[in-house]
Amino acid sequence: MTQTVQRAIDILEFCSERPRKVREIGEMCGVHRTTALRLIQTLEAGGFVRRDDRGQYGVGFRLAALAESALDQFDLRTVVHPHIVALSERVGQTVQFAVPQGSRIVYVDKIEPPSSIRLDTRIGGYVVAHTAGVSKAILTYLPEQEREAILDATTFTQYTDTTLTTREALVERLGQVRSLGWAFDDGEYESMSNCIAAPVWDYAGHVAGAISITAVKSHLDLTGLQNHIPALLVTTAAVSRDLGWFATDKDE
C-alpha cells in the first residue's frame, strides 16, 4: 500500500471519530500542514470528507452512502458459512451460528457432520435463551436494552437438572462468560449434549452473533470440549475480521 493511500485511510478513520482541524490531521499523519491540506482537499473533492462551518473536516456524504450500500449488500450467513464448515471439519462436531433479532435469538446456520450429534434445532428457529451457549455469548455483550428485551421474553422453563431456571442465575452466568470470553451449555436443554460458544463482532464493535460447537456428552464431555476453545476463538476472530472488526489492545 502506498504511503499516500495509507495516509488517506488514516485521515478517513481519524475524521470519522469527530470533525478535525487541518493541524490535528497533519499531526496525526506526521506531515506538514500544507501536505495534510492537499490530501484533505483531494478527499473533499471526492466527497469522502466535508468541511463544516467551523472549518473542521468530518466524514463526507459520499463515504456514508458507500457504507450504506455495502451494508445493503451484506449477507451475514454467506460470510459466516465457509468458516463454520471449516470449523466443523476440523473438530468433527456440530457447529451452529445464531444472531439476535428483536426479543429473540435465531439460528441462521448449522453444520452437522454425519458422525456428529443431530440437534433439535433448525435454521430460522428460535434459540432457547436461558440454556444455549450461543445465547449466553450474545446476551453477555448486547446493549442493556436489547438484552433486557430478550430476558423479558424468556420463560426459564426447566428442561434438565442443570437448567438455569431464574433470571438471576442467568445474569450471574453472563458475568462468568464475560470473564472467560466464551460461554457453555452444560446439558441445560438436553442432558445428553453440551456445547461451547463465543461471540462474533461486527465492524462497529457490536456483538453480531455467536458460534457454538456441540457434542454428545458420552463422546466428549464439557472438559473435553474445552480443548476446542482455541479453534472456536480462531474462527470467531476470522469471521469478525471479515465483518470489518479490528481488534484493539483491550480486545486482545
Side-chain angles (χ1 to χ4, degrees):
M1 188 181 298
T2 67
Q3 188 177 52
T4 300
V5 172
Q6 182 60 60
R7 283 174 176 165
I9 293 171
D10 291 342
I11 290 171
L12 291 174
E13 291 184 341
F14 191 54
C15 292
S16 70
E17 297 173 358
R18 62 174 176 80
R20 305 285 187 171
K21 297 177 181 178
V22 175
R23 174 183 53 78
E24 292 179 275
I25 295 170
E27 290 174 353
M28 183 275 297
C29 290
V31 298
H32 191 273
R33 184 182 182 280
T34 54
T35 301
L37 185 59
R38 283 197 299 270
L39 288 167
I40 294 166
Q41 289 172 336
T42 300
L43 291 170
E44 184 180 18
F48 293 102
V49 299
R50 63 186 179 89
R51 188 172 183 267
D52 63 21
D53 54 8
R54 296 176 298 170
Q56 298 180 340
Y57 291 87
V59 172
F61 294 117
R62 186 180 180 192
L63 185 62
L66 288 174
E68 183 175 355
S69 177
L71 290 175
D72 287 342
Q73 298 175 36
F74 220 151
D75 182 339
L76 185 59
R77 185 170 178 265
T78 299
V79 172
V80 175
H81 186 74
H83 290 284
I84 66 172
V85 169
L87 177 61
S88 181
E89 290 176 349
R90 179 175 178 180
V91 302
Q93 305 294 341
T94 294
V95 175
Q96 298 190 100
F97 176 56
V99 300
Q101 189 176 85
S103 62
R104 301 280 190 172
I105 295 172
V106 180
Y107 291 110
V108 294
D109 207 354
K110 176 169 68 170
I111 307 298
E112 289 182 317
S115 60
S116 70
I117 184 174
R118 295 298 188 197
L119 298 176
D120 183 25
T121 60
R122 61 181 176 82
I123 296 173
Y126 294 136
V127 177
V128 180
H130 62 298
T131 67
V134 285
S135 61
K136 299 184 189 87
I138 291 170
L139 287 168
T140 299
Y141 300 102
L142 276 180
E144 183 178 0
Q145 185 174 355
E146 295 177 42
R147 181 174 62 250
E148 292 302 307
I150 294 173
L151 293 178
D152 287 344
T154 301
T155 62
F156 293 98
T157 301
Q158 182 165 5
Y159 296 98
T160 71
D161 291 342
T162 56
T163 301
L164 302 175
T165 57
T166 67
R167 191 184 189 117
E168 292 74 23
L170 179 56
V171 170
E172 183 178 349
R173 176 70 63 81
L174 300 184
Q176 185 178 3
V177 173
R178 186 176 290 275
S179 297
L180 293 171
W182 55 274
F184 63 89
D185 166 5
D186 186 16
E188 296 161 39
Y189 181 70
E190 293 181 319
S191 58
M192 64 176 287
S193 66
N194 46 208
C195 87
I196 54 173
V200 166
W201 308 97
D202 68 12
Y203 64 97
H206 301 146
V207 61
I211 295 172
S212 66
I213 302 172
T214 303
V216 178
K217 277 188 174 183
S218 59
H219 295 164
L220 193 64
D221 63 13
L222 191 57
T223 300
L225 198 53
Q226 290 177 37
N227 291 326
H228 293 316
I229 289 173
L232 173 64
L233 296 181
V234 165
T235 300
T236 54
V239 171
S240 299
R241 286 193 295 271
D242 281 357
L243 295 178
W245 169 80
F246 287 92
T248 64
D249 291 339
K250 182 179 180 181
D251 295 319
E252 295 172 344

